[in-house]
Amino acid sequence: MRKNPVATKAPAEQVVKDIRRAMRKLHSSEEKIRIVLSGLRGEDSIAELCRKEGIAQSLYYSWSKDFLEAGKKRLAGDTARQASTGEV
């Protein structure tokens, strides 16, 4: 009698999810700014830039949107921020 393949599949799927989660690259804010500015320069297409950097195009566009929104707030004079404990 064969075991149910669904019952043995669940732990394997969890292992794959754990491996993918551990392999995610965390980009620093400086790297994000560099990538977005490179895309705004327009020297390469966004698809080519994302392929070189190893990121999804949707991730690039969300970073770009965040970057431009932050700039818009800064230019509007909305510079209020919370002081960190090191600054106090």
Side-chain angles (χ1 to χ4, degrees):
M1 187 192 268
R2 296 180 74 177
K3 290 185 177 181
N4 187 358
V6 176
T8 60
K9 190 175 183 181
E13 287 179 357
Q14 187 61 42
V15 169
V16 170
K17 285 182 183 179
D18 292 341
I19 291 171
R20 285 186 180 153
R21 189 174 300 119
M23 292 180 65
R24 286 184 187 154
K25 183 175 179 186
L26 299 176
H27 296 276
S28 69
S29 57
E30 289 83 11
E31 288 177 321
K32 292 177 185 179
I33 291 170
R34 179 187 55 79
I35 292 169
V36 169
L37 287 176
S38 179
L40 291 175
R41 279 190 213 106
E43 296 169 353
D44 295 327
S45 69
I46 301 302
E48 187 176 337
L49 174 67
C50 292
R51 199 171 24 258
K52 280 195 275 188
E53 296 293 338
I55 61 170
Q57 288 185 27
S58 59
L59 184 59
Y60 167 82
Y61 286 114
S62 69
W63 289 351
S64 177
K65 180 181 174 187
D66 293 342
F67 179 77
L68 294 174
E69 286 295 321
K72 194 183 329 179
K73 286 181 183 178
R74 180 70 180 194
L75 289 173
D78 183 16
T79 59
R81 61 185 177 98
Q82 294 178 353
S84 66
T85 56
E87 293 174 334
V88 176

